[in-house]
Amino acid sequence: MFTPQGPTFRELAVQALSSVEHGYDLLAPKFDHTPFRTPDSVLRSVARALRRIGPFQRGLDLCCGTGAGMDVLRSVCREQVTGVDISSGMLAVARERAAHPGGPPAAWVRGDARALPFGPAFDLVVSFGAFGHFLPREMPGLFAQVHSVLRPGGRFAFPIGAPARPGSRGYWALLGFDAAMRVRNAVWRPPFVMYYRDFRLDDVRRELVRAGFSVELYALPEFGRRSDGSPRCRMVVATKPGSVE
């Protein structure tokens, strides 16, 4: 699962026994060498889909980590792109990684996605692989925060994969991981929130609508379809009512 440049088992264990913020501070220098980073194939697919409904002016990468999603924003935004993350370590790596010319100017902000330090400044918000860090009860507040930082007509876009088929190897792997995390959080503090099976499309769509968005789903054709014909991966696009000025 890991390249030779990635973290050791001991480093991962120390990270997993830390808080979410401190854990990612520790993991940041080696994060891009782990399977936790969103694959380039997903980033490219989302960028292609967004170019078909863009362009956009100002974009925000929610929980930007080491900045992989910022490359998506640079390809579809004209004016400015911003990354926000709770981990100062991840932001430090992102700033270093982005130290090259070209594209719109980038800003990096340390902040909590549940209390974003922005007004309605963006017409596109994206996020990649971060939603497992939020408990289901936090989703309404999280989506309300995104709604508040979008301009009228702005969009909130993110990929979401089809759930693993019950009984498959992937299903049992995710079930085992979530069970281990729940045991860890029951016996160790501070908690490290990361649950892969809580972010389900039907629940997500319902909460986005409750937050005031209209929701569209775009199949990402590069990833094919399951045996029942449904897409293996979709891009969710939630739009804030109003017209872009």
Side-chain angles (χ1 to χ4, degrees):
M1 291 179 65
F2 298 94
T3 67
Q5 296 78 30
T8 65
F9 179 80
R10 181 181 181 279
E11 288 172 327
L12 283 174
V14 171
Q15 181 230 359
L17 293 176
S18 305
S19 67
V20 177
E21 178 182 350
H22 184 54
Y24 275 103
D25 286 346
L26 294 172
L27 184 61
K30 299 183 178 181
F31 179 80
D32 286 344
H33 300 288
T34 74
F36 309 131
R37 180 190 182 274
T38 301
D40 287 338
S41 58
V42 174
L43 298 171
R44 288 192 297 266
S45 184
V46 169
R48 280 191 288 267
L50 287 173
R51 280 194 287 271
R52 290 193 287 269
I53 61 175
F56 306 92
Q57 299 305 314
R58 297 171 65 91
L60 174 69
D61 186 359
L62 187 74
C63 306
C64 66
T66 55
M70 292 285 278
D71 293 336
V72 173
L73 289 180
R74 288 189 183 94
S75 73
V76 299
C77 294
R78 295 173 171 174
E79 187 176 326
Q80 186 178 32
V81 296
T82 301
V84 62
D85 201 276
I86 199 171
S87 166
S88 57
M90 298 288 270
L91 287 171
V93 173
R95 289 189 187 96
E96 182 178 356
R97 179 181 177 275
H100 56 78
W108 307 93
V109 178
R110 183 177 177 274
D112 190 332
R114 295 164 296 187
L116 290 171
F118 311 108
F122 305 98
D123 53 3
L124 175 64
V125 176
V126 298
S127 194
F128 297 92
F131 296 117
H133 291 302
F134 302 95
L135 297 170
R137 66 174 181 269
E138 296 176 309
M139 287 300 167
L142 177 67
F143 292 159
Q145 284 292 300
V146 175
H147 191 276
S148 73
V149 303
L150 281 168
R151 295 168 174 168
R155 293 183 170 99
F156 177 30
F158 52 88
I160 185 168
R165 180 176 54 82
S168 66
R169 182 179 300 179
Y171 175 87
W172 290 114
L174 294 178
L175 182 65
F177 180 89
D178 281 7
M181 290 302 298
R182 292 184 189 281
V183 171
R184 177 254 186 252
N185 289 336
V187 301
W188 195 272
R189 290 291 184 273
F192 189 92
V193 176
M194 186 64 203
Y195 298 118
Y196 282 108
R197 299 173 69 247
D198 283 339
F199 198 70
R200 294 182 288 266
L201 179 57
D202 288 344
D203 298 336
V204 168
R205 181 160 41 187
R206 182 179 62 252
E207 293 301 338
L208 286 168
V209 170
R210 286 181 179 174
F213 290 103
S214 61
V215 180
E216 296 176 280
L217 303 177
Y218 295 79
L220 298 179
E222 296 87 345
F223 302 99
R225 292 182 176 271
R226 304 202 301 175
S227 58
D228 63 0
S230 61
R232 293 187 183 277
C233 191
R234 292 179 171 99
M235 181 175 71
V236 177
V237 179
T239 302
K240 180 174 180 176
S243 300
V244 178
E245 295 180 0

